[in-house]
Structures are given as structure tokens and as C-alpha cells.
Amino acid sequence: MQKMMVNDSLEFVMPEGFRLMDHEELVQAYELDYPCMWGMRDEERHVVLSVFWKVNNKLLAKLATPKLVADSRQNTLRRILKGREPHFDEKFTCEIAGQKAQGLRYGYVNKGNSYTCEYVVVMNGRACYTIDYYSRSDLAEANRPIYEEVLSSMTFVG
């Protein structure tokens, strides 16, 4: 396993079998060009794990909460996934790197393939991180421990 660092502050492990995604590949996968995104994928297991982040100004950092950002993300997904049979299954809270986080489990269909997905939003100071997980649904149960291993390895440094 290899240690990864995002935004010079979020550190975690990249499991065996994963490779880094370049910016163009992320743009294609997410259908958006955002400067602060990082991702890894395992083609054999059909899983993608990515991190988006934004460093907010002081006022916005005080107003934004993981729940508020997670709810906003769900509304965005409703719009983006329209026509892809989205289903939103479960909101949840958890802890990421010692911080309270808010997440959502959901799924959708794309080009005949069913996907099981989850995102988690966590704040660290003025930085807001959204951690995305996508797995082909027929492999989701087998891939889940890999995702959980990555989440449990996350720490904030610096």
C-alpha cells in the first residue's frame, strides 16, 4: 500500500491494484472540470474513489457544515443523474480522521451498468472534503472493505 496526500493535509492509503487517475480522466468520469479533485481507480474491481476539496473563506467556513454540504450535493446529484434511474438510500453520520462527517448512500444506472455509490463530507478547518466511492453493484459487497480500509486510514496532517 502506498500513502497518498490530498491538499497537503488529508493523508490515506491507496490499496494494491489501484492507480492514480489524471485530471482529464477525472473530468471525463465526473462530467465536470473542477481544479481541486483527486482520484484513484481499480479497473479489475470496477471501483473508483475520489476526493474533491474546497478551501473556504473564514465566513463560509463558519457557516458550512458537513450536513449542509452533503444535502446540497444530493440535490446536485438529483439533477445530474436524471434519466439514470437514481435512488437515494440512506443518509448517515460517521467519523473521518477524527472529525464528524455526513454521508449518503445511493445508486444509479449508466449504459446498462448498475452502480452502488457513497459520498462522505468532512471539514478540517476551512477546508471541506467530499470523498466519493463508486462500485459496480455486482461487485459492491466485495469492494466495500477496500473502501472502508481507505476511510479508516484517513488522517489530517499539518
Tab-separated table of all heavy atoms in Angstrom, residues 65-116:
chain	number	residue	atom	x	y	z
A	65	THR	N	-21.517	23.352	7.099
A	65	THR	CA	-21.405	22.155	7.925
A	65	THR	C	-21.375	20.954	6.990
A	65	THR	O	-21.849	21.047	5.844
A	65	THR	CB	-22.608	22.018	8.876
A	65	THR	OG1	-23.786	21.811	8.084
A	65	THR	CG2	-22.770	23.246	9.765
A	66	PRO	N	-20.858	19.827	7.453
A	66	PRO	CA	-20.907	18.646	6.600
A	66	PRO	C	-22.327	18.294	6.152
A	66	PRO	O	-22.543	17.913	5.004
A	66	PRO	CB	-20.306	17.549	7.484
A	66	PRO	CG	-19.358	18.277	8.369
A	66	PRO	CD	-20.059	19.588	8.662
A	67	LYS	N	-23.305	18.465	7.021
A	67	LYS	CA	-24.694	18.149	6.661
A	67	LYS	C	-25.190	19.072	5.559
A	67	LYS	O	-25.815	18.627	4.588
A	67	LYS	CB	-25.605	18.245	7.881
A	67	LYS	CG	-27.051	17.864	7.547
A	67	LYS	CD	-27.960	17.985	8.734
A	67	LYS	CE	-29.387	17.579	8.476
A	67	LYS	NZ	-29.936	17.772	7.178
A	68	LEU	N	-24.930	20.350	5.675
A	68	LEU	CA	-25.365	21.319	4.667
A	68	LEU	C	-24.731	21.009	3.309
A	68	LEU	O	-25.413	21.002	2.277
A	68	LEU	CB	-25.004	22.732	5.118
A	68	LEU	CG	-25.422	23.883	4.214
A	68	LEU	CD1	-26.941	23.990	4.163
A	68	LEU	CD2	-24.823	25.182	4.710
A	69	VAL	N	-23.451	20.728	3.295
A	69	VAL	CA	-22.754	20.419	2.047
A	69	VAL	C	-23.257	19.093	1.469
A	69	VAL	O	-23.481	18.971	0.266
A	69	VAL	CB	-21.226	20.400	2.253
A	69	VAL	CG1	-20.502	19.961	0.986
A	69	VAL	CG2	-20.739	21.774	2.701
A	70	ALA	N	-23.455	18.094	2.324
A	70	ALA	CA	-23.948	16.790	1.864
A	70	ALA	C	-25.349	16.913	1.270
A	70	ALA	O	-25.648	16.296	0.235
A	70	ALA	CB	-23.934	15.786	3.009
A	71	ASP	N	-26.219	17.694	1.897
A	71	ASP	CA	-27.575	17.896	1.356
A	71	ASP	C	-27.528	18.614	0.019
A	71	ASP	O	-28.268	18.273	-0.908
A	71	ASP	CB	-28.439	18.676	2.348
A	71	ASP	CG	-28.813	17.867	3.582
A	71	ASP	OD1	-28.611	16.627	3.579
A	71	ASP	OD2	-29.298	18.473	4.556
A	72	SER	N	-26.661	19.591	-0.107
A	72	SER	CA	-26.500	20.307	-1.372
A	72	SER	C	-26.005	19.359	-2.464
A	72	SER	O	-26.467	19.397	-3.601
A	72	SER	CB	-25.525	21.471	-1.184
A	72	SER	OG	-25.278	22.094	-2.408
A	73	ARG	N	-25.073	18.493	-2.101
A	73	ARG	CA	-24.545	17.515	-3.066
A	73	ARG	C	-25.647	16.574	-3.537
A	73	ARG	O	-25.713	16.208	-4.708
A	73	ARG	CB	-23.401	16.731	-2.428
A	73	ARG	CG	-22.836	15.638	-3.284
A	73	ARG	CD	-21.862	16.208	-4.320
A	73	ARG	NE	-21.483	15.250	-5.312
A	73	ARG	CZ	-20.589	14.288	-5.175
A	73	ARG	NH1	-19.947	14.162	-4.037
A	73	ARG	NH2	-20.319	13.475	-6.162
A	74	GLN	N	-26.533	16.163	-2.646
A	74	GLN	CA	-27.634	15.282	-3.037
A	74	GLN	C	-28.526	15.976	-4.064
A	74	GLN	O	-28.936	15.369	-5.052
A	74	GLN	CB	-28.460	14.856	-1.826
A	74	GLN	CG	-29.587	13.909	-2.199
A	74	GLN	CD	-30.400	13.445	-1.001
A	74	GLN	OE1	-30.136	13.821	0.136
A	74	GLN	NE2	-31.382	12.610	-1.259
A	75	ASN	N	-28.824	17.247	-3.855
A	75	ASN	CA	-29.640	17.994	-4.817
A	75	ASN	C	-28.949	18.082	-6.176
A	75	ASN	O	-29.594	17.958	-7.219
A	75	ASN	CB	-29.953	19.392	-4.276
A	75	ASN	CG	-30.885	19.339	-3.088
A	75	ASN	OD1	-31.670	18.410	-2.932
A	75	ASN	ND2	-30.782	20.321	-2.216
A	76	THR	N	-27.643	18.289	-6.170
A	76	THR	CA	-26.885	18.328	-7.418
A	76	THR	C	-26.947	16.976	-8.121
A	76	THR	O	-27.137	16.900	-9.340
A	76	THR	CB	-25.425	18.726	-7.146
A	76	THR	OG1	-25.409	20.011	-6.532
A	76	THR	CG2	-24.605	18.752	-8.425
A	77	LEU	N	-26.797	15.898	-7.356
A	77	LEU	CA	-26.851	14.556	-7.945
A	77	LEU	C	-28.221	14.255	-8.551
A	77	LEU	O	-28.305	13.607	-9.594
A	77	LEU	CB	-26.491	13.497	-6.905
A	77	LEU	CG	-25.020	13.387	-6.569
A	77	LEU	CD1	-24.807	12.477	-5.364
A	77	LEU	CD2	-24.221	12.888	-7.767
A	78	ARG	N	-29.289	14.704	-7.902
A	78	ARG	CA	-30.633	14.513	-8.476
A	78	ARG	C	-30.693	15.079	-9.891
A	78	ARG	O	-31.248	14.473	-10.796
A	78	ARG	CB	-31.683	15.217	-7.618
A	78	ARG	CG	-32.122	14.491	-6.417
A	78	ARG	CD	-33.312	15.212	-5.760
A	78	ARG	NE	-33.362	14.985	-4.348
A	78	ARG	CZ	-33.722	13.852	-3.770
A	78	ARG	NH1	-34.051	12.830	-4.505
A	78	ARG	NH2	-33.737	13.742	-2.465
A	79	ARG	N	-30.113	16.251	-10.059
A	79	ARG	CA	-30.124	16.915	-11.365
A	79	ARG	C	-29.199	16.199	-12.361
A	79	ARG	O	-29.586	15.911	-13.479
A	79	ARG	CB	-29.718	18.380	-11.194
A	79	ARG	CG	-29.907	19.226	-12.427
A	79	ARG	CD	-29.485	20.675	-12.214
A	79	ARG	NE	-28.031	20.795	-12.141
A	79	ARG	CZ	-27.323	21.043	-11.042
A	79	ARG	NH1	-27.921	21.243	-9.897
A	79	ARG	NH2	-26.019	21.135	-11.077
A	80	ILE	N	-27.999	15.888	-11.936
A	80	ILE	CA	-27.009	15.271	-12.823
A	80	ILE	C	-27.431	13.868	-13.248
A	80	ILE	O	-27.225	13.468	-14.396
A	80	ILE	CB	-25.631	15.221	-12.129
A	80	ILE	CG1	-25.064	16.624	-11.979
A	80	ILE	CG2	-24.647	14.344	-12.901
A	80	ILE	CD1	-23.813	16.681	-11.120
A	81	LEU	N	-27.999	13.110	-12.328
A	81	LEU	CA	-28.339	11.709	-12.607
A	81	LEU	C	-29.736	11.516	-13.182
A	81	LEU	O	-30.152	10.369	-13.386
A	81	LEU	CB	-28.174	10.869	-11.330
A	81	LEU	CG	-26.755	10.793	-10.763
A	81	LEU	CD1	-26.750	10.018	-9.452
A	81	LEU	CD2	-25.803	10.174	-11.774
A	82	LYS	N	-30.431	12.587	-13.453
A	82	LYS	CA	-31.774	12.478	-14.028
A	82	LYS	C	-31.679	11.645	-15.309
A	82	LYS	O	-30.810	11.859	-16.138
A	82	LYS	CB	-32.328	13.865	-14.335
A	82	LYS	CG	-33.778	13.862	-14.684
A	82	LYS	CD	-34.313	15.271	-14.806
A	82	LYS	CE	-35.803	15.207	-15.045
A	82	LYS	NZ	-36.390	16.530	-15.110
A	83	GLY	N	-32.554	10.656	-15.420
A	83	GLY	CA	-32.536	9.773	-16.571
A	83	GLY	C	-31.644	8.552	-16.392
A	83	GLY	O	-31.571	7.692	-17.270
A	84	ARG	N	-30.956	8.466	-15.256
A	84	ARG	CA	-30.076	7.319	-14.992
A	84	ARG	C	-30.593	6.484	-13.821
A	84	ARG	O	-29.829	5.783	-13.164
A	84	ARG	CB	-28.650	7.796	-14.700
A	84	ARG	CG	-28.005	8.494	-15.877
A	84	ARG	CD	-26.588	8.890	-15.570
A	84	ARG	NE	-26.082	9.801	-16.586
A	84	ARG	CZ	-24.922	10.414	-16.525
A	84	ARG	NH1	-24.137	10.216	-15.489
A	84	ARG	NH2	-24.534	11.222	-17.477
A	85	GLU	N	-31.874	6.571	-13.572
A	85	GLU	CA	-32.543	5.786	-12.529
A	85	GLU	C	-31.885	5.931	-11.149
A	85	GLU	O	-31.583	4.939	-10.483
A	85	GLU	CB	-32.587	4.305	-12.918
A	85	GLU	CG	-33.266	4.044	-14.250
A	85	GLU	CD	-33.139	2.590	-14.684
A	85	GLU	OE1	-33.291	1.694	-13.821
A	85	GLU	OE2	-32.884	2.374	-15.885
A	86	PRO	N	-31.667	7.170	-10.694
A	86	PRO	CA	-31.034	7.331	-9.377
A	86	PRO	C	-31.954	6.887	-8.249
A	86	PRO	O	-33.181	7.005	-8.338
A	86	PRO	CB	-30.765	8.831	-9.300
A	86	PRO	CG	-31.816	9.442	-10.160
A	86	PRO	CD	-32.042	8.453	-11.282
A	87	HIS	N	-31.366	6.361	-7.208
A	87	HIS	CA	-32.094	6.072	-5.973
A	87	HIS	C	-31.197	6.481	-4.811
A	87	HIS	O	-29.988	6.212	-4.807
A	87	HIS	CB	-32.514	4.604	-5.874
A	87	HIS	CG	-31.386	3.632	-6.005
A	87	HIS	ND1	-30.649	3.191	-4.933
A	87	HIS	CD2	-30.865	3.028	-7.100
A	87	HIS	CE1	-29.720	2.346	-5.353
A	87	HIS	NE2	-29.820	2.229	-6.670
A	88	PHE	N	-31.778	7.198	-3.866
A	88	PHE	CA	-31.049	7.692	-2.705
A	88	PHE	C	-31.501	6.869	-1.510
A	88	PHE	O	-32.665	6.898	-1.133
A	88	PHE	CB	-31.305	9.193	-2.528
A	88	PHE	CG	-30.818	9.974	-3.714
A	88	PHE	CD1	-31.687	10.311	-4.746
A	88	PHE	CD2	-29.490	10.318	-3.832
A	88	PHE	CE1	-31.229	11.001	-5.863
A	88	PHE	CE2	-29.024	10.997	-4.942
A	88	PHE	CZ	-29.893	11.344	-5.962
A	89	ASP	N	-30.564	6.114	-0.939
A	89	ASP	CA	-30.916	5.065	0.005
A	89	ASP	C	-30.845	5.465	1.468
A	89	ASP	O	-31.758	5.202	2.216
A	89	ASP	CB	-30.015	3.844	-0.226
A	89	ASP	CG	-30.130	3.320	-1.648
A	89	ASP	OD1	-31.233	3.396	-2.224
A	89	ASP	OD2	-29.108	2.863	-2.187
A	90	GLU	N	-29.747	6.069	1.886
A	90	GLU	CA	-29.564	6.278	3.313
A	90	GLU	C	-28.583	7.410	3.593
A	90	GLU	O	-27.463	7.409	3.099
A	90	GLU	CB	-29.012	4.976	3.927
A	90	GLU	CG	-28.689	5.059	5.377
A	90	GLU	CD	-28.000	3.789	5.893
A	90	GLU	OE1	-27.576	2.941	5.099
A	90	GLU	OE2	-27.884	3.698	7.125
A	91	LYS	N	-29.020	8.367	4.408
A	91	LYS	CA	-28.112	9.382	4.932
A	91	LYS	C	-27.530	8.827	6.223
A	91	LYS	O	-28.183	8.068	6.936
A	91	LYS	CB	-28.859	10.680	5.240
A	91	LYS	CG	-29.351	11.406	4.012
A	91	LYS	CD	-30.053	12.689	4.398
A	91	LYS	CE	-30.517	13.424	3.158
A	91	LYS	NZ	-31.149	14.709	3.492
A	92	PHE	N	-26.297	9.216	6.522
A	92	PHE	CA	-25.667	8.710	7.737
A	92	PHE	C	-24.616	9.696	8.230
A	92	PHE	O	-24.167	10.568	7.492
A	92	PHE	CB	-25.031	7.327	7.490
A	92	PHE	CG	-23.932	7.348	6.474
A	92	PHE	CD1	-22.606	7.512	6.849
A	92	PHE	CD2	-24.226	7.218	5.121
A	92	PHE	CE1	-21.599	7.544	5.906
A	92	PHE	CE2	-23.216	7.243	4.172
A	92	PHE	CZ	-21.900	7.405	4.561
A	93	THR	N	-24.241	9.554	9.491
A	93	THR	CA	-23.115	10.294	10.054
A	93	THR	C	-22.038	9.278	10.422
A	93	THR	O	-22.330	8.113	10.695
A	93	THR	CB	-23.512	11.109	11.301
A	93	THR	OG1	-24.032	10.223	12.276
A	93	THR	CG2	-24.543	12.174	10.957
A	94	CYS	N	-20.813	9.730	10.401
A	94	CYS	CA	-19.686	8.869	10.759
A	94	CYS	C	-18.541	9.777	11.187
A	94	CYS	O	-18.704	10.991	11.288
A	94	CYS	CB	-19.282	7.971	9.589
A	94	CYS	SG	-18.707	8.854	8.125
A	95	GLU	N	-17.389	9.190	11.419
A	95	GLU	CA	-16.201	9.951	11.776
A	95	GLU	C	-15.114	9.646	10.755
A	95	GLU	O	-14.839	8.490	10.453
A	95	GLU	CB	-15.735	9.570	13.176
A	95	GLU	CG	-14.673	10.483	13.710
A	95	GLU	CD	-14.332	10.184	15.153
A	95	GLU	OE1	-15.159	10.476	16.028
A	95	GLU	OE2	-13.219	9.658	15.383
A	96	ILE	N	-14.533	10.702	10.215
A	96	ILE	CA	-13.414	10.587	9.279
A	96	ILE	C	-12.255	11.384	9.868
A	96	ILE	O	-12.399	12.572	10.158
A	96	ILE	CB	-13.779	11.145	7.875
A	96	ILE	CG1	-14.991	10.436	7.285
A	96	ILE	CG2	-12.571	11.093	6.944
A	96	ILE	CD1	-14.782	9.003	6.899
A	97	ALA	N	-11.135	10.739	10.056
A	97	ALA	CA	-9.925	11.402	10.568
A	97	ALA	C	-10.207	12.200	11.841
A	97	ALA	O	-9.707	13.306	12.016
A	97	ALA	CB	-9.310	12.291	9.488
A	98	GLY	N	-11.053	11.643	12.692
A	98	GLY	CA	-11.352	12.289	13.962
A	98	GLY	C	-12.375	13.414	13.887
A	98	GLY	O	-12.641	14.066	14.891
A	99	GLN	N	-12.955	13.648	12.719
A	99	GLN	CA	-13.947	14.717	12.535
A	99	GLN	C	-15.312	14.114	12.209
A	99	GLN	O	-15.404	13.094	11.515
A	99	GLN	CB	-13.529	15.640	11.390
A	99	GLN	CG	-12.182	16.286	11.545
A	99	GLN	CD	-12.152	17.280	12.693
A	99	GLN	OE1	-13.128	17.967	12.972
A	99	GLN	NE2	-11.026	17.360	13.375
A	100	LYS	N	-16.367	14.772	12.669
A	100	LYS	CA	-17.726	14.335	12.339
A	100	LYS	C	-17.970	14.550	10.848
A	100	LYS	O	-17.639	15.604	10.297
A	100	LYS	CB	-18.748	15.119	13.161
A	100	LYS	CG	-20.160	14.646	12.960
A	100	LYS	CD	-21.136	15.395	13.842
A	100	LYS	CE	-22.550	14.914	13.560
A	100	LYS	NZ	-23.530	15.644	14.340
A	101	ALA	N	-18.544	13.544	10.206
A	101	ALA	CA	-18.801	13.603	8.765
A	101	ALA	C	-20.243	13.209	8.474
A	101	ALA	O	-20.882	12.522	9.274
A	101	ALA	CB	-17.845	12.664	8.033
A	102	GLN	N	-20.722	13.651	7.334
A	102	GLN	CA	-22.090	13.363	6.887
A	102	GLN	C	-22.002	12.700	5.523
A	102	GLN	O	-21.234	13.139	4.670
A	102	GLN	CB	-22.889	14.673	6.780
A	102	GLN	CG	-24.322	14.505	6.377
A	102	GLN	CD	-25.189	13.984	7.501
A	102	GLN	OE1	-24.984	14.326	8.660
A	102	GLN	NE2	-26.148	13.147	7.177
A	103	GLY	N	-22.796	11.653	5.319
A	103	GLY	CA	-22.733	10.958	4.038
A	103	GLY	C	-24.081	10.522	3.509
A	103	GLY	O	-25.112	10.682	4.162
A	104	LEU	N	-24.031	9.960	2.312
A	104	LEU	CA	-25.229	9.456	1.637
A	104	LEU	C	-24.852	8.246	0.806
A	104	LEU	O	-23.853	8.269	0.066
A	104	LEU	CB	-25.831	10.533	0.722
A	104	LEU	CG	-27.028	10.090	-0.127
A	104	LEU	CD1	-28.263	9.884	0.742
A	104	LEU	CD2	-27.310	11.096	-1.215
A	105	ARG	N	-25.665	7.189	0.906
A	105	ARG	CA	-25.542	6.020	0.041
A	105	ARG	C	-26.597	6.141	-1.041
A	105	ARG	O	-27.750	6.479	-0.757
A	105	ARG	CB	-25.728	4.745	0.852
A	105	ARG	CG	-24.605	4.528	1.831
A	105	ARG	CD	-24.728	3.202	2.604
A	105	ARG	NE	-23.618	3.123	3.536
A	105	ARG	CZ	-23.691	3.484	4.821
A	105	ARG	NH1	-24.823	3.920	5.327
A	105	ARG	NH2	-22.625	3.400	5.593
A	106	TYR	N	-26.200	5.848	-2.263
A	106	TYR	CA	-27.129	5.966	-3.389
A	106	TYR	C	-26.662	5.072	-4.530
A	106	TYR	O	-25.647	4.382	-4.429
A	106	TYR	CB	-27.252	7.424	-3.850
A	106	TYR	CG	-25.990	7.984	-4.462
A	106	TYR	CD1	-25.858	8.084	-5.841
A	106	TYR	CD2	-24.932	8.429	-3.667
A	106	TYR	CE1	-24.706	8.599	-6.414
A	106	TYR	CE2	-23.783	8.944	-4.234
A	106	TYR	CZ	-23.672	9.024	-5.601
A	106	TYR	OH	-22.532	9.530	-6.166
A	107	GLY	N	-27.419	5.070	-5.587
A	107	GLY	CA	-27.042	4.292	-6.754
A	107	GLY	C	-27.678	4.854	-8.004
A	107	GLY	O	-28.551	5.724	-7.942
A	108	TYR	N	-27.242	4.353	-9.145
A	108	TYR	CA	-27.794	4.769	-10.430
A	108	TYR	C	-27.394	3.754	-11.492
A	108	TYR	O	-26.618	2.830	-11.242
A	108	TYR	CB	-27.332	6.181	-10.800
A	108	TYR	CG	-25.857	6.292	-11.121
A	108	TYR	CD1	-25.408	6.252	-12.439
A	108	TYR	CD2	-24.915	6.438	-10.112
A	108	TYR	CE1	-24.056	6.357	-12.733
A	108	TYR	CE2	-23.577	6.546	-10.402
A	108	TYR	CZ	-23.147	6.500	-11.711
A	108	TYR	OH	-21.816	6.594	-12.003
A	109	VAL	N	-27.943	3.923	-12.683
A	109	VAL	CA	-27.639	3.065	-13.819
A	109	VAL	C	-27.038	3.929	-14.909
A	109	VAL	O	-27.547	5.011	-15.210
A	109	VAL	CB	-28.911	2.349	-14.335
A	109	VAL	CG1	-28.604	1.526	-15.575
A	109	VAL	CG2	-29.510	1.478	-13.243
A	110	ASN	N	-25.934	3.455	-15.511
A	110	ASN	CA	-25.302	4.173	-16.608
A	110	ASN	C	-24.865	3.162	-17.669
A	110	ASN	O	-24.131	2.225	-17.354
A	110	ASN	CB	-24.094	4.971	-16.112
A	110	ASN	CG	-23.536	5.897	-17.163
A	110	ASN	OD1	-24.277	6.405	-18.007
A	110	ASN	ND2	-22.243	6.130	-17.111
A	111	LYS	N	-25.351	3.355	-18.880
A	111	LYS	CA	-25.009	2.481	-20.008
A	111	LYS	C	-25.245	1.017	-19.673
A	111	LYS	O	-24.436	0.147	-19.976
A	111	LYS	CB	-23.570	2.711	-20.453
A	111	LYS	CG	-23.312	4.127	-20.924
A	111	LYS	CD	-21.865	4.350	-21.286
A	111	LYS	CE	-21.662	5.809	-21.673
A	111	LYS	NZ	-20.258	6.138	-21.884
A	112	GLY	N	-26.363	0.747	-18.995
A	112	GLY	CA	-26.738	-0.620	-18.671
A	112	GLY	C	-26.072	-1.207	-17.443
A	112	GLY	O	-26.393	-2.315	-17.034
A	113	ASN	N	-25.148	-0.487	-16.830
A	113	ASN	CA	-24.467	-0.956	-15.622
A	113	ASN	C	-25.039	-0.260	-14.390
A	113	ASN	O	-25.212	0.955	-14.390
A	113	ASN	CB	-22.963	-0.678	-15.695
A	113	ASN	CG	-22.280	-1.514	-16.741
A	113	ASN	OD1	-22.463	-2.722	-16.806
A	113	ASN	ND2	-21.487	-0.868	-17.577
A	114	SER	N	-25.274	-1.040	-13.355
A	114	SER	CA	-25.781	-0.513	-12.090
A	114	SER	C	-24.603	-0.210	-11.170
A	114	SER	O	-23.668	-1.019	-11.052
A	114	SER	CB	-26.702	-1.550	-11.444
A	114	SER	OG	-27.162	-1.096	-10.196
A	115	TYR	N	-24.641	0.963	-10.527
A	115	TYR	CA	-23.559	1.381	-9.639
A	115	TYR	C	-24.081	1.628	-8.229
A	115	TYR	O	-25.158	2.196	-8.043
A	115	TYR	CB	-22.900	2.659	-10.168
A	115	TYR	CG	-22.137	2.395	-11.447
A	115	TYR	CD1	-22.765	2.551	-12.680
A	115	TYR	CD2	-20.829	1.955	-11.414
A	115	TYR	CE1	-22.091	2.276	-13.858
A	115	TYR	CE2	-20.141	1.680	-12.583
A	115	TYR	CZ	-20.785	1.846	-13.798
A	115	TYR	OH	-20.113	1.553	-14.953
A	116	THR	N	-23.297	1.205	-7.266
A	116	THR	CA	-23.543	1.456	-5.852
A	116	THR	C	-22.528	2.512	-5.425
A	116	THR	O	-21.334	2.370	-5.667
A	116	THR	CB	-23.359	0.164	-5.031
A	116	THR	OG1	-24.328	-0.787	-5.476
A	116	THR	CG2	-23.519	0.420	-3.546
